[in-house]
Structures are given as structure tokens and as C-alpha cells.
Amino acid sequence: QVSVMQSGGGLAPPGGSLRLSCEVHGNIRSIYAMEWYRAAPGKMRDLVAGITNGRGTSYADSVKDRFTISRDNAKNAVYLQMDNLSLEDTAVYYCHIHEQLDANNGKDYWGKGTLVNVSS
């Protein structure tokens, strides 16, 4: 059984920083992609940043040059360093894991979400 545990987040002022962590526990074969999504109040869940097992990264335009995604394969963990936070970054952040089962099949896991509240 696989579980996805998130930590970090909380309250930060505009211009401040926060770090999110996500660890995958259990019997998982091969993690291909690790991603962070967020859902702002009243809005749909959007992709924020992603990193593949080859360490290729991608970011939403709204967070480029402010957020940094990284992963630790030995710990099955992914992190999101968020700097220069703005009010618009307030959202619940979700960790998403894509497990590669074989060349044509995969499986997805989600964390339960972590609230990031940017407020003065």
C-alpha cells in the first residue's frame, strides 16, 4: 500500500518564503513524475511545477523564477521551495506522484493537501 505524506506550508507574509515536502511511503516500483498542484479558493486545481526522474523540470508561468522544485530519489521525496510569495499564491497545495508500472501503464497517487496562506 502506498501513502503520500505532505508537510510544510502555513502562513507567510507577502515576499516571504515557505517550503513544502512530500514523501512517498510503501511499495512503489518506479516514480516517473512528481508534481505540485494547487487549488485557490473557488478555483480548479492547476499544475504548479513538475519534475521527472531525469530531473527535467517545468513551472507554471505564474511561479517561474520564484518557486523551485526538487526531488530526492533515495527518499522518494519531492520538495517545493516557494520564495517571494504573493497573495495570489494562497491555495491548498497537492503533491501528485506518477508511478511507472511498465512502458504503457502507470498509476497516480495524491497527497491530502497543505494550506499555504499568504497574508499581511
Side-chain angles (χ1 to χ4, degrees):
Q1 190 170 355
V2 174
S3 63
V4 179
M5 305 299 294
Q6 294 184 220
S7 61
L11 179 64
S17 297
L18 287 172
R19 179 177 170 89
L20 302 181
S21 299
C22 171
E23 290 194 8
V24 183
H25 300 280
N27 185 18
I28 192 164
R29 298 185 196 179
S30 175
I31 297 175
Y32 175 66
M34 308 180 87
E35 299 167 328
W36 289 98
Y37 283 74
R38 69 184 181 188
K43 295 187 178 180
M44 296 183 65
R45 195 177 298 187
D46 292 323
L47 179 63
V48 176
I51 184 168
T52 65
N53 57 2
R55 301 188 185 275
T57 59
S58 61
Y59 296 92
D61 288 342
S62 59
V63 307
K64 278 181 182 177
D65 300 323
R66 298 189 300 120
F67 290 10
T68 303
I69 189 170
S70 60
R71 64 189 281 173
D72 185 335
N73 290 333
K75 295 181 178 180
N76 284 340
V78 61
Y79 310 98
L80 187 67
Q81 177 66 40
M82 303 182 292
D83 298 318
N84 193 20
L85 286 163
S86 68
L87 299 177
E88 289 71 29
D89 295 319
T90 294
V92 177
Y93 285 70
Y94 298 90
C95 177
H96 171 251
I97 306 298
H98 182 74
E99 178 186 15
Q100 193 75 37
L101 299 177
D102 57 41
N104 299 311
N105 297 286
K107 194 170 184 179
D108 295 301
Y109 304 93
W110 288 91
K112 293 184 178 180
T114 300
L115 177 62
V116 170
N117 187 4
V118 183
S119 175
S120 56

